[in-house]
């Protein structure tokens, strides 16, 4: 399924209103999101924990 996806992430040192990263992916295959999630999980092994949200807009169904 194709969808627009927005991801925001924060480390423990930041406030939720000011994310470390803001990633916007247009019209991606949602089955590929596991690759991004795995990368974030691996990044947590090397520094401050990353707390993140993901918003998926399924307009392309």
């Amino acid at each position: 399924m194709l969808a627009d996806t927005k991801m925001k992430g924060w480390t423990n040192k930041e406030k939720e209103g000011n994310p470390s990263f803001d990633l916007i992916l247009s019209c991606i295959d949602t089955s590929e999101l596991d690759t991004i999630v795995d990368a974030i999980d691996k990044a947590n092994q090397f520094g401050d924990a990353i707390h993140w949200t993901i918003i998926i807009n399924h307009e392309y169904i």
Side-chain angles (χ1 to χ4, degrees):
M1 170 182 353
L2 299 177
D4 288 341
T5 303
K6 296 179 184 178
M7 299 181 77
K8 294 185 179 192
W10 301 265
T11 66
N12 287 333
K13 296 178 182 176
E14 297 160 333
K15 295 182 179 178
E16 205 166 299
N18 188 18
S20 293
F21 67 88
D22 194 354
L23 178 64
I24 300 170
L25 304 169
S26 297
C27 193
I28 66 164
D29 187 345
T30 55
S31 66
E32 299 300 324
L33 290 176
D34 287 341
T35 303
I36 297 169
V37 172
D38 289 343
I40 293 170
D41 287 341
K42 288 178 183 175
N44 284 336
Q45 298 173 11
F46 299 103
D48 292 328
I50 298 172
H51 309 280
W52 52 282
T53 62
I54 184 168
I55 301 165
I56 301 173
N57 180 358
H58 296 286
E59 290 183 14
Y60 295 99
I61 297 175

Coordinates of all heavy atoms in Angstrom, one line a residue:
M1 N 0.8 -1.2 0.0 CA 0.0 0.0 0.0 C 0.9 1.2 0.0 O 1.9 1.3 0.7 CB -0.9 0.0 1.2 CG -1.6 1.2 1.5 SD -2.6 1.3 3.0 CE -2.6 -0.3 3.7
L2 N 0.5 2.2 -0.8 CA 1.3 3.5 -0.8 C 0.6 4.5 0.1 O -0.6 4.6 0.2 CB 1.3 4.0 -2.3 CG 2.0 3.1 -3.3 CD1 1.9 3.8 -4.7 CD2 3.4 2.8 -3.0
A3 N 1.5 5.3 0.7 CA 1.0 6.3 1.7 C 2.0 7.4 1.9 O 3.2 7.2 1.7 CB 0.7 5.6 3.0
D4 N 1.5 8.6 2.3 CA 2.4 9.6 2.7 C 2.7 9.4 4.2 O 1.8 9.0 4.9 CB 1.8 11.0 2.6 CG 1.7 11.5 1.1 OD1 2.4 10.9 0.3 OD2 0.9 12.4 0.9
T5 N 4.0 9.5 4.6 CA 4.4 9.2 5.9 C 5.2 10.3 6.5 O 6.1 10.9 5.9 CB 5.2 7.9 5.9 OG1 4.4 6.9 5.3 CG2 5.6 7.5 7.3
K6 N 4.9 10.7 7.8 CA 5.6 11.7 8.5 C 6.1 11.1 9.8 O 5.4 10.4 10.5 CB 4.8 12.9 8.8 CG 4.3 13.7 7.6 CD 3.4 14.8 8.1 CE 2.9 15.5 6.8 NZ 2.0 16.6 7.2
M7 N 7.4 11.3 10.1 CA 8.0 10.8 11.3 C 8.7 11.9 12.0 O 9.3 12.7 11.4 CB 9.0 9.7 11.0 CG 8.4 8.5 10.3 SD 9.6 7.2 10.0 CE 9.7 6.5 11.7
K8 N 8.5 12.0 13.3 CA 9.2 12.9 14.2 C 9.9 12.2 15.3 O 9.3 11.2 15.8 CB 8.3 14.0 14.7 CG 7.7 14.8 13.7 CD 6.8 15.9 14.3 CE 6.3 16.8 13.1 NZ 5.7 18.0 13.6
G9 N 11.1 12.6 15.7 CA 11.8 12.0 16.8 C 12.5 12.9 17.7 O 12.9 14.0 17.3
W10 N 12.6 12.5 19.0 CA 13.2 13.3 20.0 C 14.1 12.5 20.8 O 13.9 11.3 21.0 CB 12.1 13.8 21.0 CG 11.1 14.7 20.4 CD1 11.1 16.1 20.3 CD2 9.9 14.3 19.7 NE1 10.0 16.5 19.6 CE2 9.2 15.4 19.3 CE3 9.3 13.0 19.4 CZ2 8.0 15.4 18.6 CZ3 8.1 13.0 18.7 CH2 7.5 14.2 18.3
T11 N 15.2 13.1 21.3 CA 16.0 12.3 22.3 C 15.6 12.7 23.7 O 14.7 13.6 23.8 CB 17.5 12.7 22.1 OG1 17.7 14.1 22.5 CG2 18.0 12.5 20.7
N12 N 16.1 12.1 24.7 CA 15.7 12.4 26.1 C 16.1 13.8 26.5 O 15.5 14.4 27.4 CB 16.5 11.4 27.0 CG 15.9 10.1 27.0 OD1 14.7 9.9 26.6 ND2 16.7 9.1 27.3
K13 N 17.0 14.5 25.7 CA 17.4 15.8 26.1 C 16.5 16.9 25.5 O 16.7 18.1 25.8 CB 18.9 16.0 25.6 CG 19.9 15.1 26.2 CD 21.2 15.4 25.6 CE 22.3 14.4 26.2 NZ 23.6 14.6 25.6
E14 N 15.6 16.6 24.7 CA 14.8 17.6 24.0 C 13.4 17.6 24.4 O 12.8 16.6 25.0 CB 14.8 17.3 22.5 CG 16.2 17.4 21.9 CD 16.4 16.7 20.6 OE1 15.7 15.7 20.4 OE2 17.3 17.1 19.9
K15 N 12.7 18.7 24.2 CA 11.3 18.8 24.4 C 10.5 18.3 23.2 O 11.0 18.4 22.1 CB 10.9 20.2 24.7 CG 11.6 20.7 26.0 CD 11.2 22.2 26.3 CE 11.8 22.6 27.6 NZ 11.5 24.0 27.9
E16 N 9.3 17.8 23.4 CA 8.5 17.2 22.4 C 8.2 18.3 21.3 O 8.0 17.9 20.1 CB 7.3 16.6 22.9 CG 6.7 15.5 22.1 CD 5.7 14.7 22.8 OE1 6.0 14.1 23.8 OE2 4.6 14.7 22.3
G17 N 8.2 19.5 21.6 CA 7.9 20.5 20.6 C 9.0 20.8 19.6 O 8.8 21.5 18.6
N18 N 10.2 20.3 19.9 CA 11.4 20.6 19.0 C 12.1 19.3 18.7 O 13.1 18.9 19.3 CB 12.3 21.6 19.8 CG 13.4 22.1 18.9 OD1 13.4 22.0 17.7 ND2 14.5 22.5 19.6
P19 N 11.6 18.6 17.6 CA 12.2 17.3 17.3 C 13.6 17.3 16.8 O 14.0 18.3 16.2 CB 11.2 16.7 16.3 CG 10.6 17.9 15.7 CD 10.5 19.0 16.7
S20 N 14.3 16.3 17.1 CA 15.7 16.1 16.5 C 15.6 15.9 15.0 O 16.4 16.3 14.3 CB 16.4 14.8 17.1 OG 16.6 15.0 18.4
F21 N 14.6 15.1 14.6 CA 14.4 14.9 13.2 C 13.0 15.0 12.8 O 12.1 14.6 13.6 CB 15.1 13.6 12.7 CG 14.5 12.4 13.2 CD1 13.4 11.8 12.5 CD2 14.9 11.8 14.3 CE1 12.9 10.6 13.0 CE2 14.4 10.6 14.8 CZ 13.3 10.0 14.1
D22 N 12.7 15.4 11.6 CA 11.4 15.5 11.1 C 11.5 14.9 9.6 O 12.0 15.6 8.8 CB 10.9 16.9 11.1 CG 9.4 17.1 10.8 OD1 8.7 16.1 10.6 OD2 8.9 18.2 10.9
L23 N 11.0 13.7 9.4 CA 11.2 13.0 8.2 C 9.8 12.9 7.5 O 8.9 12.4 8.0 CB 11.7 11.6 8.4 CG 12.0 10.7 7.3 CD1 13.0 11.2 6.3 CD2 12.4 9.3 7.8
I24 N 9.8 13.4 6.2 CA 8.5 13.3 5.4 C 8.8 12.5 4.2 O 9.7 12.9 3.4 CB 8.0 14.7 5.1 CG1 7.7 15.6 6.3 CG2 6.8 14.7 4.2 CD1 7.5 17.0 6.1
L25 N 8.1 11.4 4.0 CA 8.2 10.6 2.9 C 6.9 10.5 2.1 O 5.9 10.2 2.7 CB 8.6 9.1 3.3 CG 9.9 9.0 4.2 CD1 10.0 7.6 4.8 CD2 11.1 9.4 3.4
S26 N 7.0 10.9 0.8 CA 5.7 11.0 0.0 C 5.6 9.8 -0.8 O 6.5 9.3 -1.4 CB 5.8 12.2 -0.9 OG 5.9 13.4 -0.1
C27 N 4.4 9.2 -0.8 CA 4.0 8.1 -1.6 C 4.9 6.9 -1.5 O 5.5 6.5 -2.5 CB 3.8 8.6 -3.1 SG 3.0 7.4 -4.1
I28 N 5.2 6.4 -0.3 CA 6.1 5.3 -0.1 C 5.3 4.0 0.1 O 4.1 4.1 0.5 CB 7.1 5.5 1.0 CG1 6.4 5.5 2.4 CG2 7.9 6.7 0.8 CD1 7.4 5.3 3.5
D29 N 5.9 2.9 -0.1 CA 5.3 1.6 0.1 C 5.4 1.3 1.6 O 6.5 1.3 2.2 CB 6.0 0.5 -0.7 CG 5.4 -0.8 -0.6 OD1 4.5 -1.0 0.3 OD2 5.7 -1.7 -1.4
T30 N 4.2 1.2 2.3 CA 4.2 1.1 3.7 C 4.9 -0.2 4.2 O 5.3 -0.3 5.3 CB 2.8 1.1 4.3 OG1 2.0 0.1 3.6 CG2 2.2 2.5 4.1
S31 N 5.0 -1.2 3.3 CA 5.8 -2.4 3.7 C 7.2 -2.2 3.9 O 7.9 -2.9 4.6 CB 5.6 -3.5 2.7 OG 6.2 -3.2 1.4
E32 N 7.8 -1.0 3.4 CA 9.2 -0.7 3.6 C 9.4 0.1 4.9 O 10.6 0.4 5.2 CB 9.6 0.1 2.4 CG 9.6 -0.6 1.1 CD 10.4 -1.9 1.1 OE1 11.5 -1.9 1.7 OE2 9.9 -2.9 0.4
L33 N 8.4 0.4 5.7 CA 8.6 1.2 6.9 C 9.4 0.4 7.9 O 10.0 1.0 8.8 CB 7.2 1.6 7.5 CG 6.5 2.7 6.7 CD1 5.1 2.9 7.3 CD2 7.2 3.9 6.6
D34 N 9.4 -0.9 7.9 CA 10.2 -1.7 8.8 C 11.6 -1.3 8.7 O 12.3 -1.4 9.8 CB 10.0 -3.2 8.6 CG 8.6 -3.7 9.0 OD1 8.0 -3.0 9.8 OD2 8.2 -4.8 8.6
T35 N 12.1 -1.0 7.6 CA 13.5 -0.6 7.4 C 13.8 0.6 8.2 O 14.9 0.7 8.9 CB 13.8 -0.3 5.9 OG1 13.5 -1.5 5.2 CG2 15.3 0.0 5.7
I36 N 12.9 1.6 8.2 CA 13.1 2.8 9.0 C 13.0 2.6 10.5 O 13.9 3.0 11.3 CB 12.1 3.9 8.5 CG1 12.3 4.3 7.1 CG2 12.2 5.1 9.4 CD1 11.2 5.1 6.5
V37 N 12.1 1.8 10.9 CA 11.9 1.4 12.3 C 13.1 0.7 12.8 O 13.6 1.0 13.9 CB 10.6 0.6 12.5 CG1 10.5 0.1 13.9 CG2 9.4 1.5 12.1
D38 N 13.6 -0.2 12.0 CA 14.8 -1.0 12.4 C 16.0 0.0 12.6 O 16.8 -0.2 13.5 CB 15.2 -2.1 11.4 CG 14.2 -3.2 11.4 OD1 13.5 -3.3 12.4 OD2 14.2 -4.0 10.5
A39 N 16.2 1.0 11.7 CA 17.3 1.9 11.8 C 17.2 2.7 13.1 O 18.2 3.0 13.8 CB 17.3 2.8 10.6
I40 N 16.0 3.2 13.5 CA 15.8 3.9 14.7 C 16.1 3.1 15.9 O 16.8 3.5 16.8 CB 14.4 4.5 14.8 CG1 14.2 5.6 13.7 CG2 14.1 5.1 16.1 CD1 12.8 6.0 13.5
D41 N 15.6 1.8 15.9 CA 15.9 0.9 17.0 C 17.4 0.7 17.2 O 18.0 0.6 18.3 CB 15.2 -0.4 16.8 CG 13.7 -0.3 17.0 OD1 13.3 0.6 17.7 OD2 13.0 -1.2 16.6
K42 N 18.2 0.5 16.0 CA 19.6 0.4 16.1 C 20.3 1.6 16.6 O 21.3 1.5 17.3 CB 20.1 -0.1 14.7 CG 19.8 -1.5 14.4 CD 20.2 -1.9 13.0 CE 19.8 -3.3 12.7 NZ 20.1 -3.7 11.4
A43 N 19.8 2.8 16.2 CA 20.4 4.1 16.7 C 20.3 4.2 18.2 O 21.2 4.8 18.9 CB 19.7 5.2 16.0
N44 N 19.3 3.6 18.8 CA 19.1 3.7 20.3 C 20.2 2.9 21.0 O 20.4 3.2 22.2 CB 17.7 3.1 20.7 CG 16.6 4.0 20.4 OD1 16.8 5.3 20.3 ND2 15.4 3.5 20.2
Q45 N 20.9 2.0 20.4 CA 22.0 1.3 21.0 C 23.2 2.1 21.2 O 24.1 1.8 22.0 CB 22.4 0.1 20.1 CG 21.3 -0.9 20.0 CD 21.7 -2.0 19.0 OE1 22.8 -2.1 18.6 NE2 20.7 -2.8 18.5
F46 N 23.3 3.3 20.5 CA 24.6 4.1 20.5 C 24.5 5.4 21.1 O 25.4 6.2 21.1 CB 25.1 4.2 19.0 CG 25.4 2.9 18.4 CD1 24.5 2.4 17.5 CD2 26.5 2.2 18.7 CE1 24.7 1.2 16.9 CE2 26.8 1.0 18.1 CZ 25.9 0.5 17.2
G47 N 23.4 5.8 21.7 CA 23.3 7.1 22.3 C 22.0 7.2 23.1 O 21.4 6.3 23.6
D48 N 21.5 8.5 23.2 CA 20.3 8.8 23.9 C 19.1 8.1 23.2 O 19.1 8.0 22.0 CB 20.0 10.3 23.9 CG 21.0 11.0 24.8 OD1 21.5 10.5 25.8 OD2 21.3 12.2 24.4
A49 N 18.2 7.6 24.0 CA 17.0 6.9 23.4 C 16.3 7.9 22.5 O 16.2 9.1 22.9 CB 16.2 6.4 24.5
I50 N 15.7 7.4 21.4 CA 14.9 8.2 20.5 C 13.5 7.8 20.7 O 13.1 6.7 20.6 CB 15.4 8.0 19.1 CG1 16.8 8.4 18.9 CG2 14.5 8.8 18.1 CD1 17.4 8.1 17.5
H51 N 12.7 8.8 21.0 CA 11.2 8.6 21.1 C 10.7 9.2 19.9 O 11.0 10.3 19.4 CB 10.7 9.4 22.4 CG 11.4 9.1 23.6 ND1 11.2 7.9 24.3 CD2 12.4 9.7 24.2 CE1 12.0 7.9 25.4 NE2 12.8 9.0 25.3
W52 N 9.7 8.5 19.2 CA 9.3 9.0 17.9 C 7.8 8.7 17.7 O 7.2 7.8 18.4 CB 10.1 8.4 16.8 CG 10.3 6.9 16.9 CD1 11.1 6.2 17.7 CD2 9.6 5.9 16.1 NE1 10.9 4.8 17.4 CE2 10.0 4.7 16.4 CE3 8.6 6.0 15.1 CZ2 9.5 3.5 15.8 CZ3 8.1 4.9 14.5 CH2 8.6 3.6 14.9
T53 N 7.3 9.4 16.8 CA 5.9 9.2 16.3 C 5.9 9.0 14.8 O 6.8 9.4 14.1 CB 5.0 10.4 16.7 OG1 5.4 11.5 16.0 CG2 4.9 10.7 18.1
I54 N 4.9 8.3 14.3 CA 4.7 8.1 12.9 C 3.3 8.4 12.6 O 2.4 7.9 13.3 CB 5.2 6.7 12.5 CG1 5.1 6.6 11.0 CG2 4.4 5.6 13.2 CD1 5.8 5.3 10.4
I55 N 3.1 9.1 11.5 CA 1.7 9.4 11.0 C 1.6 8.9 9.6 O 2.5 9.3 8.7 CB 1.4 10.9 11.1 CG1 1.5 11.4 12.5 CG2 0.1 11.2 10.5 CD1 1.6 12.9 12.6
I56 N 0.7 8.1 9.3 CA 0.6 7.5 7.9 C -0.8 8.0 7.3 O -1.8 7.7 7.9 CB 0.6 6.0 7.9 CG1 2.0 5.5 8.5 CG2 0.4 5.4 6.5 CD1 2.1 4.0 8.8
N57 N -0.7 8.6 6.2 CA -1.9 9.1 5.5 C -2.1 8.2 4.3 O -1.4 8.1 3.3 CB -1.6 10.5 5.0 CG -2.8 11.1 4.2 OD1 -3.8 10.5 4.0 ND2 -2.7 12.3 3.8
H58 N -3.2 7.4 4.3 CA -3.5 6.4 3.4 C -4.3 6.8 2.2 O -5.2 6.1 1.7 CB -4.2 5.2 4.1 CG -3.4 4.5 5.1 ND1 -2.4 3.7 4.8 CD2 -3.5 4.6 6.5 CE1 -1.9 3.2 6.0 NE2 -2.5 3.8 7.0
E59 N -4.1 8.0 1.7 CA -4.9 8.5 0.6 C -4.6 7.8 -0.7 O -5.4 7.9 -1.6 CB -4.6 10.0 0.4 CG -5.1 10.9 1.5 CD -4.9 12.3 1.2 OE1 -4.5 12.7 0.0 OE2 -5.0 13.1 2.1
Y60 N -3.5 7.0 -0.8 CA -3.2 6.4 -2.1 C -3.7 5.0 -2.2 O -3.4 4.2 -3.1 CB -1.6 6.3 -2.2 CG -1.0 7.7 -2.3 CD1 -0.5 8.3 -1.2 CD2 -1.0 8.3 -3.5 CE1 0.1 9.5 -1.3 CE2 -0.5 9.6 -3.7 CZ 0.1 10.2 -2.6 OH 0.7 11.4 -2.7
I61 N -4.6 4.5 -1.3 CA -5.1 3.2 -1.3 C -5.8 2.9 -2.7 O -6.6 3.7 -3.1 CB -6.1 2.9 -0.2 CG1 -5.3 3.0 1.1 CG2 -6.7 1.6 -0.3 CD1 -6.2 2.9 2.4

